[in-house]
Amino acid sequence: MSMEAIVRLLNAEGSLAEFRSPWTRHRVRRVLADEKYIGPHIFGRHCRPLRATTGFRNPPETWVRVEGAFEALVGQEMFAAARRAIANRMVCMTDEDMLDALRRLRKERGYLSTAMIEDAEEVPCVATYQRRFGGLMAAYQLIGYRRGGQVRDTHRNLSDQAMLDRLADLLRTEGRLSIKVIDDSPTLPCVESYKRRFGTVAAAYAAIGYTPPGNGTSRKPRGRKFSDETLIARLAELLTVAGRLSWDLIAASDLTPAPCTYVKRFGGLAAAYSMVGYERQVEPIG
């Protein structure tokens, strides 16, 4: 069965995923790819140095693996077969096949979003686009799409100084900068381009002498008007843009309501993180 067929079957049977949420392709894939279902628990996949704004993924050979930490629910052979099936489906789609799938979805719906891609049949999941192209925004750029429907200039044709000059011009025009302000501007490369060129968006801000306002000064969307699905979709979109999640990042983003909204609605940020497939990065000791 395809992942789409598994999703349809589980939801038709009334089965619920974690936190009593409906099944999606992303959630099904997480279960099929998670080794804890055959027993081991793995530590140290990610690391973020103290006071660093971004973390990184450790090489697999440095991970700490505890065998038999959980009771195995499936056998090694079945798990390996599922992993091979997932890998074969990814290999079968070329980069152009994946981009064509995005183009068809955009033509059909008129726009694109993380939640829409996850729910669409015949379109790879967001994580697949992230692995293949380095980020969902990079895939958007390759098909000439940006949120709002305008085509964004490619950053490859701009020097570092030109990118910073455009950022400074936007600051003078808008009076402030944020992930949403940058991604909504047709004259700037996307946030992912600034991250790739300067390491972090904060570094680009510093290069033009801009200090973002403190928490509570930006205009945040009000969480009460959003459904649970919309809250999670916005969190997933922020993860796609920023590459990570944290209390401070959610508080500063124009995409999401305040972090306390997620705490009240889902019982904690960890629960919301799990629903978008994000593993919280733990700072090393010492």
Side-chain angles (χ1 to χ4, degrees):
M1 296 175 68
S2 67
M3 290 192 194
E4 292 83 1
I6 295 172
V7 168
R8 287 195 296 269
L9 176 62
L10 291 173
N11 288 332
E13 291 178 342
S15 174
L16 295 175
E18 56 189 352
F19 308 111
R20 302 188 63 78
S21 301
W23 287 95
T24 64
R25 286 191 314 158
H26 179 63
R27 292 191 175 106
V28 168
R29 191 188 186 286
R30 280 181 55 210
V31 170
L32 295 175
D34 197 333
E35 287 189 87
K36 70 182 179 185
Y37 294 105
I38 56 173
H41 190 34
I42 302 173
F43 299 86
R45 287 188 176 98
H46 299 90
C47 180
R48 180 163 63 90
L50 292 172
R51 299 185 178 85
T53 57
T54 59
F56 55 88
R57 185 176 177 84
N58 292 321
E61 59 269 19
T62 67
W63 296 352
V64 178
R65 186 183 183 91
V66 180
E67 299 290 349
F70 306 104
E71 180 183 356
L73 299 184
V74 296
Q76 291 275 358
E77 291 186 4
M78 181 181 291
F79 182 82
R83 175 168 284 185
R84 286 194 300 271
I86 293 171
N88 289 339
R89 291 184 183 187
M90 288 180 58
V91 170
C92 287
M93 291 194 76
T94 66
D95 289 0
E96 194 57 34
D97 289 338
M98 292 177 62
L99 295 175
D100 282 342
L102 274 186
R103 292 186 184 101
R104 289 193 297 270
L105 183 61
R106 178 195 176 187
K107 183 176 181 180
E108 177 185 341
R109 302 290 184 86
Y111 72 100
L112 295 172
S113 71
T114 300
M116 181 189 298
I117 293 171
E118 290 293 353
D119 290 338
E121 297 187 16
E122 308 303 328
V123 180
C125 66
V126 169
T128 302
Y129 282 100
Q130 291 172 332
R131 283 190 294 270
R132 187 73 67 90
F133 299 101
L136 188 57
M137 294 303 167
Y140 282 177
Q141 192 171 1
L142 289 172
I143 66 170
Y145 173 78
R146 63 174 299 275
R147 284 175 296 181
Q150 296 166 312
V151 177
R152 186 184 295 279
D153 291 341
T154 174
H155 73 280
R156 297 183 183 88
N157 298 329
L158 298 175
S159 66
D160 289 2
Q161 190 57 52
M163 290 179 67
L164 294 175
D165 288 344
R166 293 193 181 195
L167 195 62
D169 288 341
L170 182 64
L171 175 59
R172 284 190 288 270
T173 301
E174 298 290 335
R176 65 188 182 99
L177 293 174
S178 69
I179 290 173
K180 186 176 188 302
V181 169
I182 294 172
D183 272 339
D184 281 347
S185 172
T187 63
L188 264 69
C190 64
V191 166
E192 286 296 318
S193 297
Y194 280 96
K195 288 173 61 179
R196 284 192 293 269
R197 189 71 68 89
F198 299 100
T200 64
V201 177
Y205 286 172
I208 64 171
Y210 174 66
T211 302
N215 291 345
T217 60
S218 60
R219 294 176 291 178
K220 299 282 290 176
R222 300 187 60 153
R224 287 194 300 271
K225 67 180 182 180
F226 295 131
S227 66
D228 290 359
E229 290 76 14
T230 301
L231 287 174
I232 293 303
R234 290 201 170 208
L235 193 64
E237 191 170 1
L238 177 59
L239 175 59
T240 300
V241 173
R244 64 186 183 92
L245 294 173
S246 69
W247 182 284
D248 291 341
L249 191 63
I250 295 170
S253 173
D254 289 343
L255 286 171
T256 57
C260 59
T261 299
Y262 288 92
V263 173
K264 293 176 181 176
R265 191 73 67 88
F266 302 104
L269 280 183
Y273 288 170
S274 178
M275 296 176 75
V276 298
Y278 178 68
E279 180 180 342
R280 182 160 39 189
Q281 299 171 4
V282 180
E283 296 180 355
I285 299 175

